[in-house]
Amino acid sequence: MNKNVIIENGQNIIDISFDGLVICLKILKPIIADWNDNEGTVGHYFILNAEYDRKQLISEFNEVLINGSEEELESKILTFLKLLKSGEYEISSFSKLLKFADIHSEYGDNENSNIYGYHFLNYNQNFNYMFTQPYSLISNERVTFYKNLIKSGGKPKVLTIANNNSDNNVEFILDGHHKILAYLYLGMPCEFITITKISPEDEYTKINLFNEYAYLLDNTLKNNIIENNPILRTDKSTDSQKYNMEFDRYLKTFQKYISGDVYKLIFKSINSLNNEEKKWGLNKLRIIEKRDFSNEKLILWNIINEHLSLSYREIKSKEEFNYFILETFGRSLDDIEKNIK
């Protein structure tokens, strides 16, 4: 079964969205945030809130995944797809021999908690299959049941979901944690049905996704995302205000080095022809200006023609900061403010 399906009037109960950095799986609300580590390692951050009603959404589908014919599977999947957000999806079925590295290697070591996460190195060139339920809910008896079923010739299916717009190299297991472990332990090819979102993300989803999954993150992880995927938001919406509050918190608390991407965005806004964008950038620089440089030296990057220079400046006082601004923009913060209409 390999086909593309257009979903119209989807219920938007399940969605897998991507904002340019983070891939987010939503089941009624965001339950997973996963993003590439851009700090020099080939790794991922993965955060899961496993507190959602799996049985209500999946249980009726599970029986056909175990014993259903191709025709029954296709019929059930088309019904299941109505739970997703409207858009284009690819449905594929295939067999694949997994190595333990294909499942995150610490899956069995997580604490019994509703919200938890980890940072892991990824040397696997294939997709990592990421769980959506804690290891504490895995039943050894159920794994044994599937092992016996597979050894007797059965081919129970594992249902996964992915987003074609993301390069995060992950698929999430919607149903089949016990099955995938059974195949893995037996060393036999796993039977997959994968739902892949093909539709590009709309701009509203991309700029507002952070606000949706932020509840999963502590401030350190929020900072990591803002550093690597900053957004210039000048609209007056509640969503914009929430995002800018987090952005401002980052500027008040970043440790020593400001993110180059953040600083380039501020530089771009100050040089914009749009007055609201200029005001946004000025506000961000005023926040940095209020930092206590005497107790904490800050590192700001030199910028040449909107590109980061390899050189940077260590700022030890408010006076040095203001001189740095004057060198960078050719005018002081006060002069920038006077020229904003």
Side-chain angles (χ1 to χ4, degrees):
M1 175 172 44
N2 292 280
K3 62 188 303 182
N4 282 27
V5 177
I6 303 294
I7 300 174
E8 298 178 341
N9 302 315
Q11 297 177 43
N12 203 18
I13 292 174
I14 299 174
D15 186 30
I16 183 164
S17 299
F18 182 63
D19 63 8
L21 177 69
V22 177
I23 185 169
C24 175
L25 175 62
K26 295 188 283 185
I27 301 182
L28 295 177
K29 67 176 182 179
I31 67 162
I32 285 174
D34 180 286
W35 65 101
N36 287 324
D37 174 16
N38 291 331
E39 297 180 351
T41 63
V42 283
H44 285 278
Y45 287 97
F46 177 82
I47 306 294
L48 166 68
N49 177 3
E51 191 176 25
Y52 70 98
D53 192 348
R54 296 179 53 79
K55 293 182 179 179
Q56 179 182 350
L57 296 171
I58 306 294
S59 61
E60 294 182 3
F61 192 35
N62 188 47
E63 187 60 36
V64 74
L65 287 171
I66 299 173
N67 299 311
S69 65
E70 286 295 318
E71 291 77 14
E72 290 171 323
L73 277 168
E74 184 165 345
S75 175
K76 278 289 187 179
I77 286 174
L78 292 175
T79 300
F80 180 80
L81 289 176
K82 294 177 182 178
L83 297 173
L84 274 64
K85 184 177 181 179
S86 298
E88 182 180 3
Y89 296 82
E90 179 185 37
I91 314 302
S92 56
S93 58
F94 55 92
S95 299
K96 182 178 181 180
L97 182 63
L98 294 179
K99 298 177 293 183
F100 197 75
D102 293 321
I103 308 287
H104 175 54
S105 60
E106 295 179 8
Y107 181 46
D109 300 326
N110 286 291
E111 297 178 0
N112 183 10
S113 174
N114 285 328
I115 297 182
Y116 57 97
Y118 45 77
H119 176 234
F120 69 97
L121 295 181
N122 171 24
Y123 298 109
N124 175 30
Q125 297 303 310
N126 299 314
F127 277 94
N128 279 275
Y129 293 93
M130 309 304 293
F131 54 87
T132 60
Q133 71 178 51
Y135 191 79
S136 60
L137 296 182
I138 293 296
S139 162
N140 290 331
E141 290 77 14
R142 194 63 177 165
V143 174
T144 298
F145 166 80
Y146 284 118
K147 286 169 69 176
N148 291 333
L149 177 63
I150 294 165
K151 286 190 287 187
S152 67
K155 293 186 176 182
K157 307 292 191 295
V158 175
L159 179 65
T160 65
I161 190 166
N163 189 316
N164 193 56
N165 300 290
S166 165
D167 58 358
N168 286 29
N169 232 32
V170 296
E171 293 183 8
F172 302 114
I173 304 168
L174 286 179
D175 181 79
H177 294 76
H178 296 89
K179 301 169 197 170
I180 203 169
L181 290 173
Y183 281 115
L184 194 64
Y185 295 150
L186 289 172
M188 297 178 64
C190 184
E191 299 292 326
F192 285 100
I193 295 178
T194 296
I195 302 169
T196 302
K197 185 177 184 180
I198 303 297
S199 302
E201 304 296 354
D202 60 84
E203 198 60 29
Y204 178 85
T205 296
K206 290 174 68 174
I207 66 173
N208 287 303
L209 194 58
F210 176 90
N211 287 338
E212 294 191 58
Y213 58 67
Y215 85 96
L216 290 165
L217 313 175
D218 61 22
N219 285 340
T220 299
L221 292 178
K222 289 178 185 176
N223 286 356
N224 180 273
I225 291 171
I226 290 170
E227 285 178 338
N228 289 291
N229 191 38
I231 303 172
L232 196 165
R233 298 204 59 175
T234 59
D235 59 281
K236 306 301 181 184
S237 67
T238 301
D239 284 327
S240 180
Q241 292 172 24
K242 286 172 61 178
Y243 180 78
N244 278 312
M245 284 179 61
E246 293 291 353
F247 202 119
D248 293 350
R249 181 193 52 74
Y250 164 76
L251 293 174
K252 294 172 184 176
T253 61
F254 71 83
Q255 299 295 306
K256 195 170 183 178
Y257 290 89
I258 190 171
S259 155
D261 287 334
V262 167
Y263 198 64
K264 281 195 297 183
L265 188 64
I266 294 173
F267 181 91
K268 179 181 177 181
S269 69
I270 293 293
N271 290 307
S272 170
L273 298 177
N274 182 298
N275 279 322
E276 291 304 314
E277 292 184 356
K278 286 180 181 288
K279 290 178 185 177
W280 182 90
L282 177 65
N283 172 262
K284 304 314 177 195
L285 291 175
R286 290 291 194 194
I287 291 173
I288 301 173
E289 182 188 31
K290 292 176 182 177
R291 296 281 296 256
D292 186 0
F293 298 102
S294 61
N295 289 324
E296 182 187 15
K297 300 173 185 176
L298 297 184
I299 302 296
L300 299 180
W301 297 97
N302 292 311
I303 293 185
I304 302 174
N305 298 326
E306 299 189 10
H307 297 286
L308 285 183
S309 168
L310 294 177
S311 63
Y312 55 82
R313 188 77 58 84
E314 186 177 64
I315 307 297
K316 305 173 187 176
S317 67
K318 181 177 178 180
E319 290 73 25
E320 286 187 13
F321 174 77
N322 286 327
Y323 185 71
F324 178 81
I325 294 298
L326 184 63
E327 281 190 322
T328 301
F329 297 102
R331 51 202 163 138
S332 67
L333 290 180
D334 289 340
D335 286 337
I336 292 172
E337 187 167 11
K338 289 176 185 176
N339 288 315
I340 295 176
K341 298 177 182 179

